[in-house]
């Protein structure tokens, strides 16, 4: 590879979350010169920013971790079944220190523009501070849920109290003691934070546009016996996860709900509810394929809500009516029971949206709810938001924002036609958010870095996805998305939470094994679907 004399970089990586950290480590090991540009003051990405009370991963800690280094996975000790944000952040920091990564990460550096120079085959990245970095390759490791979404309610800035977004929480924490608090939104972030905010606040008012299904986490300290058993053969657990559509090692039921008796349905759902977590959707194999089958799982959860929540009116408001698992299932600790507290009020805004934020609070249906603090748990401009915040310009000055006007298009979720030498980790078109993110990140990083190694071996320094390969991948994505119930509701998977965002099912839903097989096949065939040159 040609090194730029000014910056001497082969690869510039944007983002120091789990993707950027491993990318840097692996590139170094291969002898490439790489630097990471990171907007935050520390590593961890999602886990650096999302510091709201109760923030946890909804994948078990023993599986939500790197596997590229056996000593790391053997030595690191998770304390709970589902790790908290501080513990995951500590893990990211440990990885950065263990592999001495920080010396090649520029913190507090937000990238504003990335431009491809066709003649020189190089990318130039500009930062908000006006610095420039050039490199042969640019890897966007900017995350899927990293660009927060705050609805533009009328009067939003007139509020006199404190305002927070779950995805951008103050590092020093927030004390809600004695305060009247509003939480807007009932997605995963709200569902995790509401029980803890309710314990502190004088009064909590939750504004719910769409109720969500959530399954108890049954979180607990990790059983040392289980940890010992896993660590005795960690590769076996990892390999099992990789055989699963969602990249998580678990036991899905191979039988359809449609053929189960009412007793069998109840037994299986009770068992999964008692186990807790996302694997609830593995209760039967047709839950995401057949509406009638899905309805049996949905009705079971509604039954649980009605059992837990004492006030029948509140319970009904909390009961979702849409397909279960269409939006990402939530995993909670004491969420529904929180509505039994005398200091918690649920306001259903499904029929009457928030009219305005006033100096005193939130106004809905002509009623003003006076509060001291507003928590926006309103989610993210998912998958494309962080990429499009950067003004990315490819061949002929083509802007990614223009290319993706009708929705994101990519080849394998890794590369984009018209944007040579640019790669995205967990980009739209990759299975990313539908899988256990860590193994998916590792697969992407290994595929991309192997590609760089292959180019070097072949004396090449230019690679671009062809429009035909991209079209075929986008078509295949749409086709598989159409086969499941997952694309049928208004979720962030289809960009529905951001007004004006084109409705496209963004992640690849064909499953982790099928995706890996396709990526491997492309590489084995000399990077089929890519144009390669020097
Ligand atoms: P989500 O899951 O996108 O949830 C955002 C919530 O905010 C959701 O309940 C939305 O209601 C609500 N929302 C968004 N805009 C508005 C407006 N304008 N008015 C009222 N309510 C609104 O984000 P999270 O941060 O909770 O979780 C993101 C992912 O992180 C999650 O899936 C896990 O993978 C981890 P809506 O449902 O759109 O009606």
């Amino acid at each position: 590879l040609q090194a730029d004399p000014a910056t001497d970089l082969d690869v510039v990586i944007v983002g120091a979350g789990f993707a950027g950290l491993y990318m840097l480590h692996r590139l170094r090991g291969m002898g490439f010169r790489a630097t990471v540009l990171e907007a935050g003051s520390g590593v961890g990405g999602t886990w650096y920013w999302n510091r709201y009370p109760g923030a946890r991963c909804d994948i078990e800690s023993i599986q939500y971790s790197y596997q590229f280094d056996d000593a790391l996975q053997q030595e690191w000790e998770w304390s709970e079944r589902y790790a908290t944000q501080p513990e995951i952040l500590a893990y990211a920091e440990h990885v950065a220190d263990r592999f001495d990564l920080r010396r090649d990460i520029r913190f507090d550096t937000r990238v504003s523009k990335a431009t491809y120079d066709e003649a020189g085959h190089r990318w130039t990245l500009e930062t908000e501070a006006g610095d420039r970095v050039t490199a042969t390759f640019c890897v966007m490791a900017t995350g899927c849920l990293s660009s927060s979404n705050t609805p533009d309610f009328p009067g939003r800035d007139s509020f006199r109290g404190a305002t927070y977004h779950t995805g951008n929480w103050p590092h020093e924490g927030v004390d809600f003691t004695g305060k009247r608090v509003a939480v807007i939104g009932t997605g995963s972030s709200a569902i995790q934070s509401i029980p803890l905010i309710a314990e502190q606040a004088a009064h909590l008012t939750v504004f719910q546009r769409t109720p969500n299904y959530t399954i108890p986490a049954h979180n607990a300290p990790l059983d040392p016996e289980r940890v010992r058993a896993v660590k005795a053969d960690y590769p076996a657990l990892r390999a099992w996860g990789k055989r699963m559509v969602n990249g998580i090692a678990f036991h899905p039921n191979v039988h359809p709900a449609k053929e189960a008796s009412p007793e069998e349905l109840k037994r299986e759902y009770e068992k999964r509810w008692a186990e807790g977590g996302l694997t609830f959707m593995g209760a039967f194999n047709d839950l995401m394929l057949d509406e009638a089958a899905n309805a049996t799982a949905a009705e079971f959860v509604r039954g649980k809500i009605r059992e837990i929540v004492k006030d029948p009116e509140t319970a009904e408001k909390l009961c979702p009516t849409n397909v279960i698992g269409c939006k990402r299932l939530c995993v909670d600790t004491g969420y529904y029971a929180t509505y039994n507290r005398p200091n918690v009020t649920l306001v259903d805004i499904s029929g009457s949206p928030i009219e305005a934020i006033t100096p005193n609070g939130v106004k809905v249906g002509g009623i003003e709810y006076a509060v001291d603090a507003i928590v926006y748990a309103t989610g993210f401009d998912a998958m494309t938001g962080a990429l499009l915040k950067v003004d990315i310009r490819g061949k002929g000055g083509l802007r990614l924002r223009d290319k993706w006007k009708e929705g994101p298009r990519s080849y394998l979720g890794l590369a984009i036609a018209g944007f040579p030498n640019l790669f995205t980790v967990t980009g739209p078109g990759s299975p990313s958010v539908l899988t256990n993110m860590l193994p998916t990140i590792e697969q992407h990083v290994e595929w991309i870095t192997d590609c760089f190694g292959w180019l070097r071996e072949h004396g090449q320094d230019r690679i671009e996805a062809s429009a035909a390969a991209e079209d075929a991948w986008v078509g295949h994505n749409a086709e598989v998305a159409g086969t499941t119930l997952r694309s049928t509701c208004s979720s962030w998977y289809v960009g529905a939470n951001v007004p004006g965002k084109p409705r496209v099912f963004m992640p690849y839903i064909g499953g982790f094994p099928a995706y890996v097989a396709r990526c491997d096949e492309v590489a084995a065939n000399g990077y089929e679907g890519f144009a390669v040159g020097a």
Side-chain angles (χ1 to χ4, degrees):
L1 294 173
Q2 293 289 309
D4 182 283
T7 52
D8 211 20
L9 283 184
D10 298 320
V11 187
V12 60
I13 302 157
V14 185
F18 283 125
L21 291 177
Y22 183 38
M23 180 62 75
L24 173 61
H25 175 63
R26 186 145 162 125
L27 287 171
R28 267 194 197 159
M30 295 170 79
F32 288 112
R33 286 156 301 227
T35 282
V36 179
L37 308 179
E38 165 57 53
S41 306
V43 300
T46 291
W47 302 104
Y48 174 86
W49 299 104
N50 283 266
R51 299 180 187 229
Y52 60 85
R56 276 177 202 282
C57 188
D58 56 10
I59 309 252
E60 294 190 3
S61 51
I62 215 138
Q63 300 202 48
Y64 188 83
S65 52
Y66 287 123
Q67 55 191 287
F68 69 82
D69 187 277
D70 193 49
L72 170 66
Q73 70 180 1
Q74 288 296 334
E75 286 166 29
W76 182 263
E77 308 266 359
W78 294 105
S79 65
E80 291 174 82
R81 180 179 179 192
Y82 295 98
T84 59
Q85 172 273 327
E87 193 166 18
I88 303 173
L89 181 59
Y91 174 71
E93 287 171 346
H94 170 78
V95 169
D97 293 336
R98 186 179 183 110
F99 300 107
D100 189 21
L101 300 177
R102 289 177 205 270
R103 64 185 158 86
D104 285 319
I105 304 173
R106 289 199 212 167
F107 294 105
D108 303 306
T109 303
R110 188 174 283 281
V111 174
S112 51
K113 193 170 177 185
T115 312
Y116 183 64
D117 164 26
E118 269 173 82
H121 305 171
R122 291 181 75 78
W123 280 91
T124 299
L125 272 64
E126 289 172 45
T127 72
E128 273 183 358
D131 295 334
R132 281 166 178 245
V133 175
T134 66
T136 309
F137 297 102
C138 174
V139 177
M140 299 299 288
T142 40
C144 297
L145 295 161
S146 46
S147 177
S148 60
N149 164 51
T150 306
D152 193 13
F153 297 121
R156 193 180 71 189
D157 299 331
S158 69
F159 182 59
R160 281 197 295 255
T163 297
Y164 308 98
H165 191 287
T166 48
N168 197 359
W169 202 258
H171 289 197
E172 61 281 10
V174 180
D175 184 3
F176 290 114
T177 307
K179 301 259 194 297
R180 297 164 303 168
V181 182
V183 171
I184 301 177
T186 48
S188 178
S189 303
I191 283 174
Q192 289 187 333
S193 58
I194 281 169
L196 293 172
I197 296 175
E199 277 176 20
Q200 255 189 6
H203 196 92
L204 171 63
T205 309
V206 177
F207 296 87
Q208 171 189 274
R209 184 164 72 179
T210 316
N212 243 312
Y213 296 94
T214 175
I215 307 297
H218 299 310
N219 189 38
L222 269 175
D223 172 11
E225 259 322 299
R226 165 138 195 262
V227 174
R228 232 185 322 261
V230 165
K231 288 191 174 176
D233 193 1
Y234 226 140
L237 182 85
R238 303 299 197 178
W240 175 12
K242 286 180 181 173
R243 290 194 299 272
M244 308 302 288
V245 165
N246 60 8
I248 305 171
F250 81 110
H251 295 286
N253 186 353
V254 294
H255 301 291
K258 273 183 92 173
E259 287 171 14
S261 66
E263 295 72 32
E264 284 166 334
L265 288 172
K266 182 155 170 50
R267 195 177 332 119
E268 186 66 24
Y269 290 136
E270 287 289 0
K271 188 182 102 190
R272 302 269 168 184
W273 182 269
E275 282 168 9
L278 292 177
T279 55
F280 181 83
M281 291 308 290
F284 294 97
N285 70 359
D286 53 354
L287 296 185
M288 290 321 296
L289 301 173
D290 183 283
E291 269 191 65
N294 187 282
T296 64
E299 190 50 32
F300 174 84
V301 176
R302 285 192 290 266
K304 288 289 180 195
I305 298 170
R306 292 177 185 124
E307 267 172 37
I308 298 167
V309 180
K310 295 203 177 94
D311 173 43
E313 221 174 281
T314 306
E316 281 320 300
K317 283 187 209 161
L318 285 166
C319 282
T321 52
N322 54 359
V323 164
I324 182 169
C326 185
K327 289 187 171 197
R328 190 185 174 99
L329 207 58
C330 299
V331 178
D332 73 286
T333 300
Y335 175 67
Y336 292 127
T338 298
Y339 293 93
N340 293 332
R341 295 177 65 101
N343 69 332
V344 177
T345 309
L346 179 66
V347 180
D348 175 4
I349 57 167
S350 57
S352 161
I354 290 174
E355 273 164 54
I357 302 296
T358 68
N360 300 320
V362 181
K363 196 168 167 199
V364 178
I367 301 169
E368 186 185 68
Y369 296 83
V371 292
D372 306 305
I374 299 176
V375 174
Y376 289 94
T378 43
F380 301 89
D381 183 356
M383 303 204 76
T384 54
L387 290 167
L388 296 182
K389 258 190 191 168
V390 179
D391 182 6
I392 300 177
R393 298 184 186 211
K395 270 177 21 188
L398 175 64
R399 299 175 72 175
L400 190 60
R401 285 174 198 160
D402 291 332
K403 166 151 182 162
W404 283 4
K405 242 194 180 82
E406 308 297 321
R409 304 179 66 76
S410 79
Y411 182 33
L412 301 171
L414 297 168
I416 304 160
F419 295 79
N421 292 12
L422 177 83
F423 288 86
T424 53
V425 184
T426 67
S430 118
S432 62
V433 292
L434 300 177
T435 62
N436 179 1
M437 207 47 125
L438 266 281
T440 300
I441 282 174
E442 285 185 313
Q443 185 272 346
H444 288 10
V445 167
E446 286 162 15
W447 193 95
I448 294 168
T449 50
D450 285 350
C451 172
F452 293 163
W454 184 89
L455 289 169
R456 181 170 61 184
E457 251 171 54
H458 289 77
Q460 312 286 338
D461 67 357
R462 195 157 45 88
I463 184 162
E464 181 189 353
S466 75
E470 185 179 87
D471 288 348
W473 186 250
V474 170
H476 173 58
N477 268 257
E479 198 182 313
V480 283
T483 63
T484 95
L485 297 174
R486 225 159 179 166
S487 57
T488 58
C489 65
S490 294
S491 65
W492 59 255
Y493 295 132
V494 296
N497 61 323
V498 177
K501 194 165 171 172
R503 195 180 172 107
V504 171
F505 193 82
M506 294 183 287
Y508 173 64
I509 201 171
F512 186 74
Y515 176 78
V516 174
R518 182 67 192 130
C519 288
D520 289 350
E521 187 184 24
V522 166
N525 293 338
Y527 294 91
E528 183 185 355
F530 286 93
V532 173

